Amino acid sequence: MSGRVTPARSPLIIIVSGPGGVGKGTIVDALVKRDPSLLLSRSWTTRQRRPGEREDAYVYVTRNEFEAHRDRGGFLEWTEFLGNYYGSPVPDAASGRDIVLEIEVDGAQQVKAVHPEATLIFVLPPSRDEQRRRLIGRGDPDDKVQQRLRKAEEEEPIGRALADEVVVNDDLDQTVGEMMDIITARRKAAGSP
Ligand code: ADP
Ligand code: 5GP
C-alpha cells in the first residue's frame, strides 16, 4: 500500500510528549516515514534555528508574528517554554490523515482538555545520564543541557500522570515499533479495519 490513506472516521490525534533530548523528534520522523497515513504537525516557534537543524523543523517567527497568529485563534495549543513561544497550528482535518503532535507537557494538557479522546504517549529516557549524553551529542550548549535536565524533573511527574501510554526510548527501533503498535490499536478501537 502506498500514498495517502483516507480513514473512514475522524482523524486520530496522537500526542508525543516527553523531556528534551529523550528522542521525540527522532521518533516522530521515523513514524511518519514508516506510515504515510500519519501527518506530522509543524509547530511555530520564536526560538532560533539550531546549527544543523532542518529549515522546515519549525515555522520560525518573531514574537510579534506569533502573538498575531495566536490572537487570530490560529493555534490548537501554545506555550512559553524556556523563554520561547511554541504552538501547534489548528490541524487541517481535511488531510484525512491521523495527526501527530510533538509537544511539551503544558501543550499536551491543553490538547487533552479540548480533545480527551487524543492519545498521549509520554516518552522517557532510559536514565538522566543517557538523556544528558543525548543532549550533549545533539550539540546543545552546556547551559541549555542543564536547563533541560532541570525542566525534565518538573515535566516527568505531570507527563506520567496525564499519559495514556508511557514508553522508554532505549533502543530506537523497538520504541518506534511500540509506538506503531499503540497507534494501530487506537485505530482499531476507532473503527479502522
Ligand atoms: P527531542 O526531540 O526529544 O528533544 P531528539 O530527537 O532531538 O530529542 O534526540 C536527541 C538526540 O538523541 C539526537 O542526537 C538523537 O539522534 C538521539 N537519539 C534519539 N533516540 C535515541 C536512542 N533510542 N538511542 C540513542 N540516541 C538517540
Ligand atoms: P526544542 O526547542 O527542543 O525544539 O523544543 C522544546 C520543547 O518544546 C520540546 O519539549 C518540544 O516537544 C516542545 N514543542 C515543540 N513544538 C511545540 C508546540 O507546538 N507546542 C508545545 N506546547 N510544545 C512544543
Side-chain angles (χ1 to χ4, degrees), residues 25 45 47-60 86 102 138 140 148:
T45 186
R47 102 157 147 67
Q48 297 287 306
R49 186 155 71 95
R50 283 190 202 112
E53 188 168 49
R54 282 202 331 254
E55 275 179 34
D56 64 353
Y58 285 99
V59 178
Y60 298 92
Y86 294 82
E102 191 250 283
R138 184 173 73 181
D140 282 29
R148 282 167 197 262

mmCIF file of all heavy atoms in Angstrom, residues 25 45 47-60 86 102 138 140 148:
data_model
loop_
_atom_site.group_PDB
_atom_site.id
_atom_site.type_symbol
_atom_site.label_atom_id
_atom_site.label_comp_id
_atom_site.label_asym_id
_atom_site.label_seq_id
_atom_site.Cartn_x
_atom_site.Cartn_y
_atom_site.Cartn_z
ATOM 1 N N GLY A 25 11.761 13.974 18.555
ATOM 2 C CA GLY A 25 11.852 14.378 17.148
ATOM 3 C C GLY A 25 12.301 13.220 16.272
ATOM 4 O O GLY A 25 11.748 12.988 15.185
ATOM 5 N N THR A 45 7.598 28.434 16.225
ATOM 6 C CA THR A 45 8.396 28.790 17.402
ATOM 7 C C THR A 45 9.071 30.133 17.203
ATOM 8 O O THR A 45 9.322 30.539 16.061
ATOM 9 C CB THR A 45 9.471 27.729 17.723
ATOM 10 O OG1 THR A 45 10.104 28.062 18.954
ATOM 11 C CG2 THR A 45 10.545 27.633 16.642
ATOM 12 N N ARG A 47 11.991 30.449 18.848
ATOM 13 C CA ARG A 47 13.411 30.208 19.116
ATOM 14 C C ARG A 47 14.201 30.215 17.814
ATOM 15 O O ARG A 47 13.655 29.998 16.741
ATOM 16 C CB ARG A 47 13.586 28.920 19.931
ATOM 17 C CG ARG A 47 14.025 27.712 19.187
ATOM 18 C CD ARG A 47 14.699 26.667 20.061
ATOM 19 N NE ARG A 47 14.435 25.309 19.600
ATOM 20 C CZ ARG A 47 14.887 24.805 18.458
ATOM 21 N NH1 ARG A 47 15.586 25.536 17.602
ATOM 22 N NH2 ARG A 47 14.604 23.549 18.151
ATOM 23 N N GLN A 48 15.503 30.485 17.953
ATOM 24 C CA GLN A 48 16.406 30.479 16.796
ATOM 25 C C GLN A 48 16.597 29.044 16.308
ATOM 26 O O GLN A 48 16.578 28.121 17.122
ATOM 27 C CB GLN A 48 17.783 31.008 17.223
ATOM 28 C CG GLN A 48 17.778 32.442 17.700
ATOM 29 C CD GLN A 48 17.597 33.415 16.542
ATOM 30 O OE1 GLN A 48 18.338 33.364 15.575
ATOM 31 N NE2 GLN A 48 16.598 34.274 16.651
ATOM 32 N N ARG A 49 16.830 28.916 15.013
ATOM 33 C CA ARG A 49 17.139 27.587 14.483
ATOM 34 C C ARG A 49 18.503 27.157 15.014
ATOM 35 O O ARG A 49 19.437 27.952 15.047
ATOM 36 C CB ARG A 49 17.159 27.648 12.949
ATOM 37 C CG ARG A 49 17.321 26.304 12.295
ATOM 38 C CD ARG A 49 16.741 26.318 10.880
ATOM 39 N NE ARG A 49 17.543 27.097 9.961
ATOM 40 C CZ ARG A 49 18.481 26.582 9.171
ATOM 41 N NH1 ARG A 49 18.731 25.299 9.169
ATOM 42 N NH2 ARG A 49 19.163 27.365 8.369
ATOM 43 N N ARG A 50 18.589 25.870 15.472
ATOM 44 C CA ARG A 50 19.892 25.354 15.943
ATOM 45 C C ARG A 50 20.808 25.104 14.751
ATOM 46 O O ARG A 50 20.306 24.748 13.673
ATOM 47 C CB ARG A 50 19.706 23.981 16.608
ATOM 48 C CG ARG A 50 19.150 24.006 17.970
ATOM 49 C CD ARG A 50 19.249 22.604 18.595
ATOM 50 N NE ARG A 50 18.286 22.509 19.650
ATOM 51 C CZ ARG A 50 17.208 21.742 19.652
ATOM 52 N NH1 ARG A 50 16.959 20.934 18.645
ATOM 53 N NH2 ARG A 50 16.377 21.756 20.655
ATOM 54 N N PRO A 51 22.128 25.237 14.946
ATOM 55 C CA PRO A 51 23.035 24.886 13.852
ATOM 56 C C PRO A 51 22.766 23.439 13.441
ATOM 57 O O PRO A 51 22.642 22.557 14.292
ATOM 58 C CB PRO A 51 24.431 24.999 14.485
ATOM 59 C CG PRO A 51 24.259 25.813 15.724
ATOM 60 C CD PRO A 51 22.839 25.644 16.170
ATOM 61 N N GLY A 52 22.583 23.214 12.168
ATOM 62 C CA GLY A 52 22.370 21.844 11.680
ATOM 63 C C GLY A 52 20.911 21.414 11.691
ATOM 64 O O GLY A 52 20.567 20.365 11.144
ATOM 65 N N GLU A 53 20.034 22.218 12.309
ATOM 66 C CA GLU A 53 18.610 21.844 12.360
ATOM 67 C C GLU A 53 17.969 22.086 10.992
ATOM 68 O O GLU A 53 18.279 23.086 10.334
ATOM 69 C CB GLU A 53 17.902 22.683 13.416
ATOM 70 C CG GLU A 53 16.474 22.256 13.688
ATOM 71 C CD GLU A 53 15.915 22.936 14.937
ATOM 72 O OE1 GLU A 53 16.044 24.182 15.051
ATOM 73 O OE2 GLU A 53 15.358 22.249 15.785
ATOM 74 N N ARG A 54 17.090 21.176 10.587
ATOM 75 C CA ARG A 54 16.433 21.321 9.275
ATOM 76 C C ARG A 54 15.671 22.644 9.192
ATOM 77 O O ARG A 54 15.065 23.069 10.167
ATOM 78 C CB ARG A 54 15.429 20.179 9.074
ATOM 79 C CG ARG A 54 16.042 18.862 8.683
ATOM 80 C CD ARG A 54 14.985 17.970 7.993
ATOM 81 N NE ARG A 54 13.626 18.243 8.445
ATOM 82 C CZ ARG A 54 12.920 17.450 9.253
ATOM 83 N NH1 ARG A 54 13.442 16.330 9.708
ATOM 84 N NH2 ARG A 54 11.690 17.759 9.605
ATOM 85 N N GLU A 55 15.673 23.247 7.998
ATOM 86 C CA GLU A 55 14.987 24.540 7.839
ATOM 87 C C GLU A 55 13.491 24.433 8.061
ATOM 88 O O GLU A 55 12.829 25.407 8.421
ATOM 89 C CB GLU A 55 15.234 25.084 6.431
ATOM 90 C CG GLU A 55 16.532 25.851 6.338
ATOM 91 C CD GLU A 55 16.780 26.365 4.940
ATOM 92 O OE1 GLU A 55 15.800 26.717 4.260
ATOM 93 O OE2 GLU A 55 17.956 26.396 4.545
ATOM 94 N N ASP A 56 12.939 23.224 7.819
ATOM 95 C CA ASP A 56 11.488 23.066 7.966
ATOM 96 C C ASP A 56 11.116 22.363 9.278
ATOM 97 O O ASP A 56 10.010 21.867 9.430
ATOM 98 C CB ASP A 56 10.913 22.308 6.757
ATOM 99 C CG ASP A 56 11.448 20.891 6.657
ATOM 100 O OD1 ASP A 56 12.364 20.528 7.438
ATOM 101 O OD2 ASP A 56 10.957 20.132 5.800
ATOM 102 N N ALA A 57 12.069 22.325 10.227
ATOM 103 C CA ALA A 57 11.754 21.673 11.514
ATOM 104 C C ALA A 57 10.603 22.424 12.201
ATOM 105 O O ALA A 57 9.755 21.814 12.861
ATOM 106 C CB ALA A 57 12.991 21.639 12.406
ATOM 107 N N TYR A 58 10.618 23.742 12.072
ATOM 108 C CA TYR A 58 9.554 24.594 12.620
ATOM 109 C C TYR A 58 9.243 25.674 11.594
ATOM 110 O O TYR A 58 10.029 25.929 10.686
ATOM 111 C CB TYR A 58 10.050 25.335 13.869
ATOM 112 C CG TYR A 58 10.170 24.518 15.127
ATOM 113 C CD1 TYR A 58 11.410 24.009 15.528
ATOM 114 C CD2 TYR A 58 9.061 24.283 15.931
ATOM 115 C CE1 TYR A 58 11.530 23.280 16.712
ATOM 116 C CE2 TYR A 58 9.183 23.554 17.114
ATOM 117 C CZ TYR A 58 10.415 23.055 17.498
ATOM 118 O OH TYR A 58 10.527 22.348 18.670
ATOM 119 N N VAL A 59 8.143 26.393 11.824
ATOM 120 C CA VAL A 59 7.947 27.696 11.194
ATOM 121 C C VAL A 59 8.575 28.684 12.185
ATOM 122 O O VAL A 59 8.098 28.815 13.319
ATOM 123 C CB VAL A 59 6.442 28.007 10.988
ATOM 124 C CG1 VAL A 59 6.268 29.391 10.379
ATOM 125 C CG2 VAL A 59 5.783 26.936 10.122
ATOM 126 N N TYR A 60 9.689 29.298 11.808
ATOM 127 C CA TYR A 60 10.429 30.196 12.703
ATOM 128 C C TYR A 60 9.879 31.613 12.535
ATOM 129 O O TYR A 60 9.906 32.150 11.417
ATOM 130 C CB TYR A 60 11.922 30.168 12.377
ATOM 131 C CG TYR A 60 12.546 28.805 12.577
ATOM 132 C CD1 TYR A 60 12.627 27.898 11.519
ATOM 133 C CD2 TYR A 60 13.025 28.407 13.815
ATOM 134 C CE1 TYR A 60 13.175 26.638 11.700
ATOM 135 C CE2 TYR A 60 13.569 27.147 14.007
ATOM 136 C CZ TYR A 60 13.645 26.267 12.944
ATOM 137 O OH TYR A 60 14.179 25.016 13.125
ATOM 138 N N TYR A 86 6.051 28.380 21.628
ATOM 139 C CA TYR A 86 5.883 27.231 20.730
ATOM 140 C C TYR A 86 4.381 27.023 20.565
ATOM 141 O O TYR A 86 3.643 27.131 21.556
ATOM 142 C CB TYR A 86 6.441 25.940 21.336
ATOM 143 C CG TYR A 86 7.938 25.910 21.532
ATOM 144 C CD1 TYR A 86 8.521 26.502 22.644
ATOM 145 C CD2 TYR A 86 8.757 25.274 20.612
ATOM 146 C CE1 TYR A 86 9.905 26.460 22.834
ATOM 147 C CE2 TYR A 86 10.137 25.239 20.794
ATOM 148 C CZ TYR A 86 10.696 25.823 21.900
ATOM 149 O OH TYR A 86 12.047 25.792 22.086
ATOM 150 N N GLU A 102 4.124 16.763 18.309
ATOM 151 C CA GLU A 102 5.304 16.536 19.160
ATOM 152 C C GLU A 102 5.466 17.776 20.013
ATOM 153 O O GLU A 102 5.956 18.795 19.533
ATOM 154 C CB GLU A 102 6.503 16.294 18.246
ATOM 155 C CG GLU A 102 7.723 15.785 18.966
ATOM 156 C CD GLU A 102 8.816 16.821 19.012
ATOM 157 O OE1 GLU A 102 9.504 17.027 18.009
ATOM 158 O OE2 GLU A 102 8.969 17.439 20.090
ATOM 159 N N ARG A 138 23.698 16.017 20.667
ATOM 160 C CA ARG A 138 22.947 16.795 19.683
ATOM 161 C C ARG A 138 23.567 18.177 19.480
ATOM 162 O O ARG A 138 23.225 18.888 18.544
ATOM 163 C CB ARG A 138 21.510 16.931 20.190
ATOM 164 C CG ARG A 138 20.572 17.637 19.256
ATOM 165 C CD ARG A 138 19.158 17.584 19.745
ATOM 166 N NE ARG A 138 18.928 18.470 20.896
ATOM 167 C CZ ARG A 138 17.763 18.594 21.521
ATOM 168 N NH1 ARG A 138 16.737 17.864 21.126
ATOM 169 N NH2 ARG A 138 17.626 19.417 22.540
ATOM 170 N N ASP A 140 23.654 20.627 22.029
ATOM 171 C CA ASP A 140 23.115 21.694 22.900
ATOM 172 C C ASP A 140 24.252 22.269 23.757
ATOM 173 O O ASP A 140 25.067 21.511 24.291
ATOM 174 C CB ASP A 140 22.028 21.118 23.835
ATOM 175 C CG ASP A 140 20.685 20.921 23.144
ATOM 176 O OD1 ASP A 140 20.679 20.692 21.918
ATOM 177 O OD2 ASP A 140 19.652 20.981 23.830
ATOM 178 N N ARG A 148 17.459 21.988 30.455
ATOM 179 C CA ARG A 148 16.541 20.938 30.001
ATOM 180 C C ARG A 148 16.489 19.775 30.993
ATOM 181 O O ARG A 148 15.432 19.169 31.187
ATOM 182 C CB ARG A 148 16.910 20.482 28.587
ATOM 183 C CG ARG A 148 16.407 21.489 27.557
ATOM 184 C CD ARG A 148 16.974 21.302 26.169
ATOM 185 N NE ARG A 148 16.761 22.530 25.395
ATOM 186 C CZ ARG A 148 15.770 22.734 24.530
ATOM 187 N NH1 ARG A 148 14.888 21.793 24.319
ATOM 188 N NH2 ARG A 148 15.655 23.875 23.890
#
